[in-house]
Coordinates of all heavy atoms in Angstrom, one line a residue:
F439 N -43.1 250.2 45.0 CA -41.8 249.7 45.4 C -41.1 248.9 44.4 O -39.9 248.7 44.2 CB -41.7 249.0 46.8 CG -42.7 247.8 46.8 CD1 -42.4 246.7 46.3 CD2 -43.9 248.0 47.4 CE1 -43.3 245.5 46.3 CE2 -44.9 247.0 47.6 CZ -44.5 245.7 47.0
C440 N -42.0 248.2 43.4 CA -41.4 247.6 42.2 C -40.7 248.4 41.3 O -39.7 248.0 40.7 CB -42.6 246.7 41.6 SG -43.2 245.3 42.5
V441 N -41.1 249.7 41.1 CA -40.5 250.5 40.2 C -39.0 250.8 40.7 O -38.1 250.9 39.9 CB -41.2 251.9 40.2 CG1 -40.5 253.1 39.6 CG2 -42.6 251.8 39.4
V442 N -38.8 250.8 41.9 CA -37.5 251.1 42.5 C -36.5 249.9 42.0 O -35.4 250.1 41.7 CB -37.4 251.1 44.0 CG1 -36.1 251.4 44.5 CG2 -38.5 252.1 44.5
I443 N -37.1 248.7 42.1 CA -36.2 247.5 41.6 C -35.8 247.6 40.3 O -34.5 247.5 39.9 CB -37.0 246.2 41.9 CG1 -37.5 246.2 43.4 CG2 -36.1 245.0 41.6 CD1 -36.4 246.2 44.4
V444 N -36.7 247.8 39.4 CA -36.5 248.0 38.0 C -35.5 249.2 37.7 O -34.5 249.1 36.9 CB -37.7 248.1 37.1 CG1 -37.4 248.3 35.6 CG2 -38.6 246.8 37.3
Y445 N -35.9 250.3 38.4 CA -34.9 251.6 38.2 C -33.5 251.3 38.5 O -32.7 251.7 37.7 CB -35.7 252.7 39.0 CG -34.7 253.9 39.1 CD1 -34.6 254.8 38.2 CD2 -34.0 254.0 40.3 CE1 -33.8 256.0 38.2 CE2 -33.1 255.1 40.4 CZ -33.1 256.1 39.5 OH -32.3 257.2 39.5
N446 N -33.3 250.6 39.6 CA -32.0 250.4 40.1 C -31.2 249.5 39.1 O -30.1 249.8 38.8 CB -32.0 249.8 41.5 CG -32.2 250.9 42.6 OD1 -32.0 252.1 42.4 ND2 -32.7 250.4 43.7
N447 N -31.9 248.4 38.7 CA -31.2 247.6 37.7 C -30.9 248.3 36.4 O -29.7 248.1 35.9 CB -32.1 246.4 37.5 CG -31.9 245.3 38.6 OD1 -31.1 244.4 38.3 ND2 -32.8 245.4 39.6
V448 N -31.8 248.9 35.9 CA -31.6 249.6 34.5 C -30.5 250.8 34.6 O -29.8 250.8 33.7 CB -33.0 250.1 34.1 CG1 -32.8 250.9 32.8 CG2 -33.9 249.0 33.7
I449 N -30.6 251.5 35.6 CA -29.8 252.7 35.6 C -28.4 252.2 35.9 O -27.3 252.8 35.4 CB -30.2 253.8 36.6 CG1 -29.5 255.1 36.3 CG2 -29.8 253.3 38.2 CD1 -30.2 256.2 37.0
A450 N -28.2 251.1 36.6 CA -26.9 250.5 36.8 C -26.3 249.9 35.5 O -25.1 250.2 35.2 CB -27.0 249.4 37.8
R451 N -27.1 249.3 34.8 CA -26.7 248.8 33.5 C -26.4 250.1 32.5 O -25.4 249.9 31.7 CB -27.7 248.0 32.8 CG -27.4 247.4 31.5 CD -26.1 246.5 31.6 NE -26.2 245.5 32.6 CZ -26.7 244.3 32.4 NH1 -27.2 243.9 31.2 NH2 -26.8 243.4 33.4
L452 N -27.2 251.1 32.5 CA -26.9 252.2 31.6 C -25.6 252.9 32.0 O -24.8 253.3 31.1 CB -28.0 253.3 31.8 CG -29.4 253.0 31.1 CD1 -30.4 253.9 31.5 CD2 -29.2 252.9 29.6
R453 N -25.2 252.9 33.2 CA -23.9 253.5 33.6 C -22.7 252.7 33.1 O -21.5 253.2 33.0 CB -23.9 253.6 35.2 CG -24.8 254.7 35.7 CD -24.9 254.8 37.2 NE -25.8 255.8 37.6 CZ -26.3 255.8 38.8 NH1 -26.1 254.9 39.6 NH2 -27.1 256.9 39.2
R454 N -23.0 251.4 33.0 CA -22.0 250.5 32.4 C -21.9 250.4 30.8 O -21.1 249.6 30.3 CB -22.1 249.1 33.0 CG -21.9 249.1 34.6 CD -21.5 247.6 35.0 NE -22.7 246.8 34.8 CZ -23.6 246.5 35.7 NH1 -23.5 247.2 37.0 NH2 -24.6 245.7 35.5
T455 N -22.8 251.1 30.2 CA -23.0 251.0 28.7 C -22.3 252.2 28.1 O -22.4 253.3 28.6 CB -24.4 251.1 28.3 OG1 -25.1 249.9 28.8 CG2 -24.5 250.9 26.8
S456 N -21.3 251.9 27.2 CA -20.5 252.9 26.6 C -21.4 253.9 25.9 O -22.2 253.6 25.1 CB -19.5 252.4 25.8 OG -18.7 253.3 25.0
Q457 N -21.2 255.1 26.1 CA -21.9 256.3 25.5 C -21.5 256.4 24.0 O -22.3 256.8 23.1 CB -21.6 257.5 26.2 CG -22.6 258.8 25.6 CD -24.1 258.7 25.8 OE1 -24.4 258.0 26.9 NE2 -24.8 259.3 25.1
S458 N -20.2 255.8 23.7 CA -19.8 255.9 22.3 C -20.7 255.0 21.3 O -20.7 255.2 20.1 CB -18.3 255.5 22.2 OG -18.2 254.2 22.7
L459 N -21.2 254.0 21.9 CA -22.1 253.1 21.0 C -23.3 254.0 20.6 O -23.7 253.7 19.5 CB -22.5 251.8 21.8 CG -21.5 250.8 22.1 CD1 -22.0 249.8 23.0 CD2 -20.9 250.2 20.8
I460 N -23.8 254.6 21.5 CA -25.1 255.4 21.2 C -24.7 256.5 20.1 O -25.4 256.7 19.1 CB -25.7 256.1 22.4 CG1 -26.0 254.8 23.4 CG2 -26.9 256.9 22.0 CD1 -26.6 255.4 24.8
E461 N -23.5 257.2 20.4 CA -23.1 258.3 19.6 C -22.9 257.8 18.2 O -23.1 258.3 17.1 CB -22.0 258.9 20.1 CG -22.2 259.7 21.4 CD -20.9 260.2 22.1 OE1 -19.8 259.9 21.6 OE2 -21.1 260.9 23.1
A462 N -22.2 256.5 18.1 CA -21.9 256.0 16.7 C -23.2 255.5 16.0 O -23.2 255.8 14.8 CB -21.0 254.6 17.0
S463 N -24.2 255.1 16.7 CA -25.5 254.8 16.1 C -26.1 256.0 15.5 O -26.6 256.0 14.4 CB -26.4 254.1 17.1 OG -27.6 253.9 16.6
M464 N -26.0 257.1 16.3 CA -26.7 258.3 15.7 C -25.9 258.8 14.5 O -26.5 259.4 13.6 CB -26.8 259.4 16.9 CG -27.6 258.9 18.1 SD -29.2 258.5 17.7 CE -29.9 260.3 17.8
D465 N -24.5 258.8 14.6 CA -23.7 259.3 13.5 C -24.0 258.5 12.3 O -23.7 259.0 11.1 CB -22.2 259.3 13.9 CG -21.9 260.1 15.1 OD1 -22.6 261.1 15.2 OD2 -20.8 260.0 15.7
L466 N -24.3 257.2 12.4 CA -24.5 256.4 11.2 C -26.0 256.5 10.6 O -26.3 255.8 9.7 CB -24.3 254.9 11.5 CG -22.8 254.5 11.8 CD1 -22.6 253.1 12.4 CD2 -22.0 254.7 10.5
G467 N -26.7 257.4 11.2 CA -28.0 257.8 10.6 C -29.2 257.3 11.3 O -30.3 257.3 10.8
A468 N -29.0 256.4 12.4 CA -30.1 255.8 13.1 C -30.8 256.9 13.9 O -30.3 257.8 14.5 CB -29.6 254.8 14.1
D469 N -32.2 256.9 13.9 CA -32.9 257.8 14.7 C -33.1 257.3 16.2 O -32.4 256.3 16.5 CB -34.3 257.9 14.2 CG -35.1 256.7 14.0 OD1 -34.9 255.7 14.7 OD2 -36.0 256.6 13.0
G470 N -33.8 258.0 17.0 CA -33.8 257.7 18.4 C -34.3 256.3 18.7 O -33.9 255.5 19.5
W471 N -35.5 256.0 17.9 CA -36.2 254.7 18.1 C -35.3 253.5 17.6 O -35.1 252.4 18.4 CB -37.4 254.6 17.3 CG -38.0 253.2 17.2 CD1 -38.2 252.5 16.1 CD2 -38.5 252.4 18.3 NE1 -38.7 251.2 16.4 CE2 -38.9 251.2 17.8 CE3 -38.6 252.5 19.6 CZ2 -39.5 250.1 18.4 CZ3 -39.1 251.6 20.5 CH2 -39.5 250.4 19.9
Q472 N -34.5 253.6 16.6 CA -33.7 252.7 16.1 C -32.4 252.4 17.0 O -32.1 251.4 17.2 CB -33.2 253.0 14.6 CG -34.2 252.9 13.6 CD -33.7 253.4 12.2 OE1 -33.0 254.4 12.2 NE2 -34.1 252.7 11.2
T473 N -31.9 253.5 17.5 CA -30.9 253.4 18.5 C -31.3 252.6 19.7 O -30.5 251.8 20.3 CB -30.3 254.8 18.9 OG1 -29.9 255.4 17.6 CG2 -29.2 254.7 19.8
F474 N -32.5 253.0 20.2 CA -33.0 252.4 21.4 C -33.2 250.8 21.2 O -32.8 250.0 21.9 CB -34.3 253.0 21.8 CG -35.0 252.3 22.9 CD1 -34.6 252.4 24.2 CD2 -36.2 251.4 22.7 CE1 -35.2 251.8 25.3 CE2 -36.7 250.8 23.8 CZ -36.3 250.9 25.0
R475 N -33.8 250.5 20.0 CA -34.1 249.1 19.6 C -32.9 248.2 19.4 O -32.9 247.2 19.9 CB -35.0 249.1 18.4 CG -35.5 247.7 18.0 CD -36.4 247.8 16.7 NE -36.7 246.5 16.3 CZ -37.3 246.2 15.2 NH1 -37.7 247.2 14.4 NH2 -37.6 244.9 14.9
Y476 N -32.0 248.7 18.8 CA -30.8 247.9 18.3 C -29.6 248.0 19.2 O -28.6 247.2 19.1 CB -30.5 248.2 16.8 CG -31.5 247.9 15.8 CD1 -32.2 249.0 15.2 CD2 -31.8 246.6 15.6 CE1 -33.2 248.6 14.3 CE2 -32.8 246.2 14.7 CZ -33.5 247.3 14.0 OH -34.5 246.9 13.1
I477 N -29.5 249.2 19.9 CA -28.3 249.4 20.7 C -28.5 249.3 22.3 O -28.0 248.6 23.0 CB -27.6 250.7 20.5 CG1 -27.2 250.8 19.0 CG2 -26.4 250.9 21.3 CD1 -26.3 249.9 18.5
I478 N -29.5 250.2 22.7 CA -29.8 250.3 24.1 C -30.5 249.0 24.6 O -30.1 248.4 25.6 CB -30.6 251.6 24.5 CG1 -29.7 252.8 23.9 CG2 -30.8 251.7 25.9 CD1 -30.5 254.1 24.2
L479 N -31.5 248.7 24.0 CA -32.5 247.6 24.5 C -31.7 246.2 24.7 O -31.9 245.6 25.7 CB -33.6 247.4 23.6 CG -34.7 246.5 24.2 CD1 -35.2 247.0 25.5 CD2 -35.9 246.5 23.2
P480 N -30.8 245.9 23.6 CA -30.1 244.6 23.8 C -29.2 244.6 25.1 O -29.0 243.7 25.7 CB -29.3 244.5 22.6 CG -30.1 245.2 21.5 CD -30.7 246.3 22.4
N481 N -28.5 245.9 25.3 CA -27.7 245.9 26.5 C -28.5 245.9 27.8 O -28.0 245.5 28.8 CB -26.9 247.2 26.4 CG -25.6 247.1 25.6 OD1 -25.0 246.1 25.6 ND2 -25.4 248.2 24.8
L482 N -29.8 246.3 27.7 CA -30.6 246.3 29.0 C -31.4 245.0 29.2 O -32.0 244.9 30.1 CB -31.7 247.5 28.8 CG -31.1 248.9 28.8 CD1 -32.3 250.0 28.8 CD2 -30.2 249.2 30.0
G483 N -31.3 244.2 28.2 CA -32.2 243.0 28.1 C -32.2 242.2 29.6 O -33.2 242.0 30.3
S484 N -30.8 241.8 29.9 CA -30.8 241.0 31.1 C -31.2 241.8 32.4 O -31.7 241.3 33.4 CB -29.3 240.4 31.3 OG -28.5 241.3 31.3
A485 N -30.9 243.1 32.3 CA -31.1 244.0 33.5 C -32.7 244.1 33.7 O -33.2 244.1 34.9 CB -30.5 245.4 33.4
L486 N -33.4 244.3 32.5 CA -34.9 244.4 32.6 C -35.4 243.0 33.0 O -36.4 243.0 33.9 CB -35.4 244.7 31.2 CG -35.2 246.2 30.7 CD1 -35.5 246.2 29.3 CD2 -36.0 247.1 31.7
L487 N -34.9 242.0 32.6 CA -35.4 240.7 33.0 C -35.3 240.4 34.5 O -36.1 239.9 35.1 CB -34.8 239.5 32.1 CG -35.4 238.1 32.4 CD1 -36.9 238.0 32.2 CD2 -34.6 237.1 31.5
A488 N -34.0 240.7 35.0 CA -33.7 240.5 36.4 C -34.5 241.5 37.2 O -35.1 241.0 38.2 CB -32.2 240.7 36.6
G489 N -34.7 242.7 36.8 CA -35.5 243.7 37.5 C -37.0 243.3 37.6 O -37.7 243.2 38.7
G490 N -37.5 242.8 36.5 CA -38.9 242.3 36.5 C -39.0 241.0 37.3 O -40.1 240.9 38.0
M491 N -38.0 240.1 37.2 CA -38.3 238.9 38.1 C -38.1 239.2 39.6 O -39.0 238.7 40.4 CB -37.0 237.9 37.8 CG -37.2 237.3 36.4 SD -35.7 236.5 35.8 CE -35.7 235.0 36.9
L492 N -37.3 240.2 40.0 CA -37.2 240.6 41.4 C -38.6 241.3 41.8 O -39.1 241.1 42.9 CB -36.0 241.5 41.7 CG -34.6 240.9 41.7 CD1 -33.6 241.9 41.7 CD2 -34.5 240.0 42.9
A493 N -39.0 242.2 40.9 CA -40.3 242.9 41.2 C -41.4 241.9 41.3 O -42.2 242.1 42.3 CB -40.5 243.9 40.1
F494 N -41.6 241.0 40.5 CA -42.6 240.0 40.6 C -42.5 239.2 41.9 O -43.6 239.0 42.6 CB -42.5 238.9 39.4 CG -43.5 237.9 39.5 CD1 -44.7 238.1 38.9 CD2 -43.3 236.6 40.1 CE1 -45.7 237.0 38.8 CE2 -44.3 235.7 40.1 CZ -45.5 235.8 39.5

Side-chain angles (χ1 to χ4, degrees):
F439 56 82
C440 289
V441 167
V442 183
I443 305 300
V444 176
Y445 168 79
N446 283 337
N447 275 272
V448 173
I449 202 166
R451 182 59 56 85
L452 285 172
R453 288 168 179 164
R454 293 197 297 265
T455 302
S456 175
Q457 187 67 24
S458 61
L459 289 175
I460 300 174
E461 294 172 353
S463 174
M464 302 296 281
D465 288 341
L466 291 171
D469 57 28
W471 167 248
Q472 290 173 320
T473 300
F474 175 77
R475 180 181 177 185
Y476 295 111
I477 303 298
I478 299 176
L479 192 58
N481 277 320
L482 296 181
S484 60
L486 285 171
L487 183 58
M491 293 168 71
L492 284 172
F494 179 90

